[in-house]
Amino acid sequence: MRRYYIWTIGCQMNKADSQQVANYLERAGLSEARSAGEADLIVLNSCVVREHAETKVVNKLNSLRGLKKSRPEVTIALTGCMVGSQPDHLKGRFPWVDLFFRPQQWEVLSKWGEAWGLPGMDAEEDLIPHTPCVTAYVPVIHGCDSFCSYCIVPYRRGRARSRNPDEILRHVQELVQHGTKEVILLGQIVDAYGQDLPSEVDLADLLAALNRIEGLLRIRFLTSHPSYMSRRLISAVADLDKVCEHISLPIQAGDNGILAAMKRGYTREQYGELVKEIRCTIPGVALSTDVIVGFPGETNEQFTRTLEVLERTRFDKVHIAAYSPRPETTAARNLKDDLRPEEKEARRAQAESLQNRIAAQINAALLGQTVEVLVEGQQKGKWCGRTRGDKLVFFTGNAGVIGRLVNVRIEKTSAHALQGVAD
Ligand code: SAM
Ligand code: SF4
């Protein structure tokens, strides 16, 4: 039996794409290899959002050069955001790679599969995993039209394209029949869902339709853009029982000058108003955000405004990245990357240490409380799962059945996880 190996880095969208490739290959009769060395087909799903990620991909590609030399019959494929519309320069740089396909460019993979003796890829059917998973990613909108000045994603993933709501409904129904209990709807700007469709459907409508699926326990969605977050959507999260009180709302910077240079389309005041409205409408909501530090020209004072926003808003989780100039983007073309790497790293570490203190305080308030956990599996001899607010919980006790909701009494907390005992 032929075997495949998939290596993935990057965002949830990449993980969802890799899952779809795996589903296709399993349906075609291949089995998963434990390492690249044992595989007949190696797929690298790449991320180039930051230089650091790109370097990892390049290292991985270089590490496969020798393998291809000793086993020329192995097929190596590269996908993800490293593959642009003209992969010729990649072919020249990595001649040992056999196949390049852009994210979602399934027709290229399918054509190659047929030449390799596999059935064609069926983009809809291959969304459903063969082995059941408690939590499944469901892309609902691909691409992005926003063109934030620092971001390479729109250049590599193309224009925003919402999936048809009936197709998404069928997809989630099938997942639930296969044992899935929680779906995470994905989009670069997930709250823009539907705007490009001829019918007047939005994310709130989609959530309401999914909420009616019997057997589905929880629904989440990521990532929301502040400019697209509507009152209707906020109310849907508050009203629909399966939709978790958890919103991922990247702010990126706390200074209005930097926000304008990033082309984010809102001010810190508008963001603050939105957070107020979300917190008034959805009691107990968990909020997460993304922040970039060291954007071109960011002064110490401007960076301090980002810290102020973190201190004031008290997010449950913050993903902090140091600015990394990306080719093709307007920031890389027009703005000088003028902060030294050590300065960017110092700002990143300062923001992280502040956020760790805040998250530790927020989680400490859960000590002694009972929280509802969806059991996902076991790790290091303990059951693990997540709360509705997306907090990771490790627990003991005999209530642990994968895919069930259990009540857990919290006995220990830290900035990144909770520990407890099942009731
Ligand atoms: N669509 C989401 C949004 O609007 O924020 C996020 C998508 S982006 C792929 C994921 C995160 O990577 C961003 O939130 C941003 O913080 C970070 N990121 C994107 N480009 C970056 C860059 N050039 N340098 C550093 N971080 C970057
Ligand atoms: Fe990138 Fe901005 Fe689109 Fe997010 S909204 S994917 S940061 S361009």
Side-chain angles (χ1 to χ4, degrees), residues 49-50 150 153 188 223 250 252 264 290 292 321-324 326:
V49 162
R50 285 182 285 278
Y150 52 83
V153 169
Q188 298 297 346
T223 309
Q252 306 297 3
R264 287 294 289 178
D290 292 9
I292 297 176
Y323 171 72
S324 167
R326 301 286 63 211

Side-chain angles (χ1 to χ4, degrees), residues 48 54-55 57-59 61-62 65 78 82 87-97 100:
V48 291
E54 183 164 1
T55 305
V57 181
V58 170
N59 290 344
L61 281 164
N62 286 334
R65 187 183 195 159
L78 179 69
M82 191 164 188
D88 283 353
H89 76 283
L90 286 175
K91 281 182 194 157
R93 200 170 157 203
F94 307 106
W96 56 95
V97 175
F100 297 87

Side-chain angles (χ1 to χ4, degrees), residues 115-385:
W116 216 49
L118 306 181
M121 188 172 187
D122 178 330
E124 208 173 315
E125 191 176 335
D126 293 320
L127 281 165
I128 311 300
H130 288 236
T131 39
C133 49
V134 175
T135 294
Y137 290 125
V138 176
V140 298
I141 175 168
H142 297 293
C144 179
D145 287 345
S146 195
F147 290 94
C148 300
S149 66
Y150 52 83
C151 184
I152 198 170
V153 169
Y155 301 90
R156 299 299 167 89
R157 287 193 169 266
R159 304 304 301 260
R161 302 163 321 273
S162 297
R163 287 175 67 202
N164 178 296
D166 294 332
E167 183 193 309
I168 298 169
L169 210 59
R170 275 199 305 276
H171 178 181
V172 176
Q173 274 161 345
E174 273 214 45
L175 283 170
V176 172
Q177 276 165 22
H178 283 73
T180 292
K181 303 292 179 190
E182 175 185 69
V183 287
I184 306 177
L185 310 183
L186 296 181
Q188 298 297 346
I189 302 188
V190 72
D191 42 348
Y193 174 77
Q195 293 198 355
D196 56 312
L197 291 175
S199 57
E200 280 193 18
V201 63
D202 65 7
L203 188 60
D205 296 319
L206 186 65
L207 291 173
L210 297 176
N211 199 66
R212 287 193 284 273
I213 295 180
E214 220 169 290
L216 182 64
L217 301 178
R218 287 179 175 180
I219 307 167
R220 301 182 195 277
F221 57 91
L222 354 135
T223 309
S224 297
H225 189 293
S227 305
Y228 293 81
M229 176 62 56
S230 67
R231 199 159 278 178
R232 222 174 104 72
L233 179 57
I234 299 171
S235 300
V237 179
D239 296 341
L240 298 168
D241 61 333
K242 294 179 186 174
V243 179
C244 294
E245 301 76 19
H246 163 216
I247 294 186
S248 164
L249 194 69
I251 183 168
Q252 306 297 3
D255 176 80
N256 286 340
I258 297 289
L259 283 172
M262 287 178 162
K263 298 206 181 337
R264 287 294 289 178
Y266 52 83
T267 61
R268 80 189 245 146
E269 291 77 16
Q270 286 166 329
Y271 186 92
E273 284 304 310
L274 181 59
V275 167
K276 223 186 268 174
E277 186 175 346
I278 291 172
R279 286 196 163 140
C280 282
T281 317
I282 316 169
V285 65
L287 279 181
S288 56
T289 201
D290 292 9
V291 156
I292 297 176
V293 299
F295 190 77
E298 183 188 67
T299 62
N300 211 19
E301 208 182 329
Q302 287 174 315
F303 165 62
T304 307
R305 294 208 183 95
T306 295
L307 297 180
E308 274 168 24
V309 171
L310 299 191
E311 188 85 70
R312 201 172 305 155
T313 316
R314 296 179 66 78
F315 294 100
D316 292 79
K317 214 180 277 172
V318 183
H319 301 107
I320 304 156
Y323 171 72
S324 167
R326 301 286 63 211
E328 297 172 70
T329 62
T330 51
R333 279 186 279 130
N334 303 327
L335 305 171
K336 187 163 180 268
D337 180 25
D338 54 357
L339 277 123
R340 286 178 299 117
E342 309 83 72
E343 180 55 34
K344 287 186 200 171
E345 176 49 29
R347 290 184 187 184
R348 199 202 55 74
Q350 196 180 345
E352 189 134 301
S353 125
L354 167 62
Q355 177 54 29
N356 282 344
R357 174 169 60 75
I358 294 168
Q361 288 166 353
I362 293 174
N363 290 350
L366 291 168
L367 206 61
Q369 291 196 20
T370 297
V371 294
E372 184 198 79
V373 175
L374 175 62
V375 187
E376 288 174 21
Q378 278 189 305
Q379 258 183 49
K380 293 184 191 156
K382 288 190 172 180
W383 294 102
C384 66

